[in-house]
Amino acid sequence: MIISNIIEIFPVLAKGINVTITVLIASAIFGYLMAFIAGLCRLSNNIILRGVTTFYVEIFRGTSLIVQLFWLFYALPILFGINLGNEFWAGSLAIGLNYGAYMSEVVRSSILSVAKGQSEAATALNMSRFQRMRLVIFPQAVRMMLPEFGNYLIQMLKATSLVSLISMHDILYHGDLLRYSNIAMGGSVYFYVLVFFFILALPLIFLTRKMEKFSKKGVAN
Amino acid sequence: MKKWSWDTFFDAFPMVVQGLGITAGLTVACFLFALIFGFFWTFMQRIPIKSVSWLIRWIMEFIRSTPPLVQLFFIYYAFPSVPVIGMTLSPFTCAILGLGIHFSTYIGEVYRSGIDGIDEGQWEAAKALNFSTRKKWSTIILPQAIPPTIPMLGNYLIIMFKEIPLASTIGVVGILQLAKNYGAQHFNYLEPLTIVALLFLVLSYPSAILIGKLEKKMNRRFDKKEPSGSKPIPEGKGA
């Protein structure tokens, strides 16, 4: 019975895979971009730049993603007359901005944790501030960021399930439809949705483990 | 395009704030559930049969890497049809179960990191003193393993608090649901949703600062740079 269910259910859920993955990719690009911009800005000497980014990071870390999603979807168009186009942009923007704020802390702390001697050595070699960052600090910091970035990618995948609440047709949405249309199946359809999300998450889990190994390779302590 | 209206803000505020009790109560209930259930995962993982601990690790991985929203739906809609133990649960109970189980897997890891941080000598001392398993855990291991993890647990409390509005999707009337109700009645989501965001910010930001202070204090007290040698707490887990 379970097998026949799977054959019946999986093609239906697979219709949503497109939307889930597109939202994931869009929010990941957006999130990593925001992470680097905000993370670097928070280290800047410019007090205004630092203030603005701190404000952004604290706002997005201090409230919940679902509230931000609804706010961008329902409230933003009213307040500023900005129409984000469609649900897609509201969804990816909310997820990207939210996780970008979290990941900016990863960027910041990784850069700060590069040993001080490294930047002193770069200064001794008469490198400019930009060269120092680009050639010495940044390559070392990025390795440290990778495992956490992988973790957050899994978190973002989980977060994409929220876009079904703003009526995007992702995996969960098709699961909902199936529950409405097929009463006999009832709630068990959500188990298959969970399995589906897990299958999508598996490559990311292995990727994260690989990055963990990579970031430890050839580093003292 | 509509301007911000303070009248609507103050009109909606009392109504939205009413949900704060439910939201806060649910947070506390979920957290307690996760704290207790976390031990279940920690001890199951320590079962010395390889296949069992492997299975438990993958179950934890499954729960952790799938969306809590879907888990909530699963418990809410599928639990009544489970044979023998199946019954209709109130949305509140479902939310405690769903979010509680989700976060218990994270909290189980926190406990594990605390236990791993205990010096080998402590285990040997327990053995040398011929302590029973129960006595070893209750008088030697846990009293040393848990206190250093308190700041991490506090962080998870804040993270969990921010995930609580997910419960509005199965009909728990917290602040988010009340704001949406107000918005639907008045065709105006701007002010009520902003109030919800503000409430979350006002409650979680100071707590985060407090936890940060606590963490520093604890680290000094336990003379460690990082709690229990584990990796730093990943924030924003959940969602």
Side-chain angles (χ1 to χ4, degrees):
Chain A
M1 184 208 150
I2 291 174
I3 301 295
S4 68
N5 262 356
I6 291 177
I7 294 167
E8 211 177 300
I9 292 171
F10 266 43
V12 181
L13 295 182
K15 281 192 256 171
I17 205 167
N18 236 340
V19 173
T20 299
I21 290 185
T22 337
V23 172
L24 176 64
I25 291 174
S27 41
I29 293 174
F30 210 73
Y32 291 135
L33 205 68
M34 284 315 288
F36 280 110
I37 296 174
L40 291 173
C41 282
R42 282 197 85 177
L43 293 168
S44 129
N45 287 331
N46 186 330
I47 194 160
I48 297 168
L49 209 56
R50 220 166 51 218
V52 170
T53 18
T54 309
F55 182 73
Y56 151 69
V57 171
E58 295 305 347
I59 290 276
F60 276 87
R61 288 197 335 161
T63 56
S64 34
L65 175 58
I66 183 171
V67 176
Q68 291 155 20
L69 182 70
F70 284 152
W71 202 88
L72 283 183
F73 189 63
Y74 292 113
L76 186 73
I78 307 176
L79 186 60
F80 298 113
I82 300 170
N83 211 331
L84 289 170
N86 50 26
E87 315 74 80
F88 175 77
W89 289 113
S92 343
L93 205 66
I95 298 172
L97 284 174
N98 182 277
Y99 283 97
Y102 282 110
M103 289 189 296
S104 76
E105 287 293 282
V106 177
V107 172
R108 191 176 70 104
S109 61
S110 301
I111 289 177
L112 284 179
S113 69
V114 172
K116 206 156 181 244
Q118 297 286 330
S119 82
E120 280 164 4
T123 314
L125 290 170
N126 200 20
M127 285 184 175
S128 72
R129 205 178 130 84
F130 180 69
Q131 275 177 323
R132 207 161 62 204
M133 189 50 113
R134 186 172 68 93
L135 298 170
V136 180
I137 311 283
F138 206 66
Q140 295 182 63
V142 166
R143 290 170 67 120
M144 285 188 251
M145 296 171 200
L146 287 178
E148 275 304 294
F149 276 2
N151 273 331
Y152 278 113
L153 199 56
I154 301 172
Q155 300 302 324
M156 282 193 259
L157 173 67
K158 283 160 66 181
T160 58
S161 67
L162 291 179
V163 297
S164 71
L165 299 177
I166 53 170
S167 67
M168 278 189 75
H169 298 189
D170 77 330
I171 299 173
L172 179 55
Y173 176 87
H174 285 284
D176 278 335
L177 282 190
L178 214 56
R179 181 174 61 82
Y180 289 130
S181 61
N182 192 339
I183 291 168
M185 191 157 16
S188 63
V189 66
Y190 291 115
F191 179 70
Y192 300 103
V193 178
L194 285 175
V195 171
F196 223 104
F197 269 103
F198 189 58
I199 292 170
L200 288 179
L202 270 179
L204 304 182
I205 293 172
F206 288 119
L207 188 75
T208 307
R209 286 188 187 169
K210 214 168 200 163
M211 285 180 184
E212 249 158 42
K213 272 196 199 120
F214 172 74
S215 70
K216 281 195 192 115
K217 208 162 60 183
V219 179
N221 73 65
Chain B
M1 181 172 163
K2 181 189 143 299
K3 279 270 158 57
W4 172 267
S5 141
W6 284 106
D7 287 343
T8 325
F9 183 89
F10 288 116
D11 188 34
F13 194 79
M15 190 175 155
V16 174
V17 166
Q18 276 174 10
L20 210 52
I22 296 278
T23 303
L26 190 57
T27 313
V28 172
C30 274
F31 190 61
L32 287 179
F33 184 87
L35 281 182
I36 294 163
F37 208 63
F39 279 113
F40 168 78
W41 296 117
T42 315
F43 288 120
M44 288 298 270
Q45 265 190 322
R46 297 188 68 87
I47 290 177
I49 306 163
K50 230 179 182 163
S51 53
V52 174
S53 59
W54 181 85
L55 185 70
I56 293 293
R57 254 206 308 284
W58 275 103
I59 292 175
M60 286 172 81
E61 193 73 70
F62 182 85
I63 295 175
R64 231 176 322 178
S65 50
T66 51
L69 180 64
V70 186
Q71 290 167 5
L72 272 182
F73 284 171
F74 177 65
I75 286 177
Y76 187 61
Y77 291 108
F79 195 71
S81 56
V82 172
V84 189
I85 51 163
M87 54 178 154
T88 316
L89 297 171
S90 73
F92 195 80
T93 323
C94 279
I96 295 177
L97 276 180
L99 293 171
I101 290 174
H102 186 85
F103 279 96
S104 68
T105 56
Y106 289 106
I107 285 180
E109 285 294 299
V110 173
Y111 290 153
R112 193 179 60 86
S113 75
I115 292 167
D116 284 350
I118 291 202
D119 195 71
E120 191 64 35
Q122 301 288 330
W123 297 91
E124 284 161 4
K127 201 174 228 171
L129 292 169
N130 198 21
F131 273 26
S132 67
T133 312
R134 224 196 76 165
K135 216 171 164 199
K136 175 176 74 186
W137 281 98
S138 64
T139 61
I140 299 186
I141 306 301
L142 290 182
Q144 294 182 78
I146 302 306
T149 63
I150 287 173
M152 283 161 104
L153 295 177
N155 271 329
Y156 273 115
L157 177 63
I158 299 172
I159 291 169
M160 191 180 253
F161 173 59
K162 285 181 276 184
E163 296 298 322
I164 290 298
L166 287 181
S168 72
T169 53
I170 56 167
V172 176
V173 188
I175 47 178
L176 181 64
Q177 190 57 41
L178 285 174
K180 283 188 80 184
N181 289 350
Y182 184 93
Q185 271 168 30
H186 299 77
F187 297 106
N188 185 3
Y189 286 98
L190 172 59
E191 285 87 358
L193 282 177
T194 311
I195 292 170
V196 175
L198 278 178
L199 284 176
F200 270 102
L201 199 63
V202 163
L203 288 171
S204 72
Y205 188 59
S207 348
I209 292 175
L210 273 180
I211 301 280
K213 282 214 173 112
L214 185 69
E215 200 163 4
K216 264 193 199 133
K217 211 171 164 185
M218 293 291 238
N219 286 349
R220 260 208 308 278
R221 184 167 149 202
F222 294 105
D223 198 32
K224 273 172 198 158
K225 268 186 276 151
E226 293 247 301
S228 326
S230 69
K231 54 181 180 179
I233 183 185
E235 274 183 279
K237 294 279 159 149

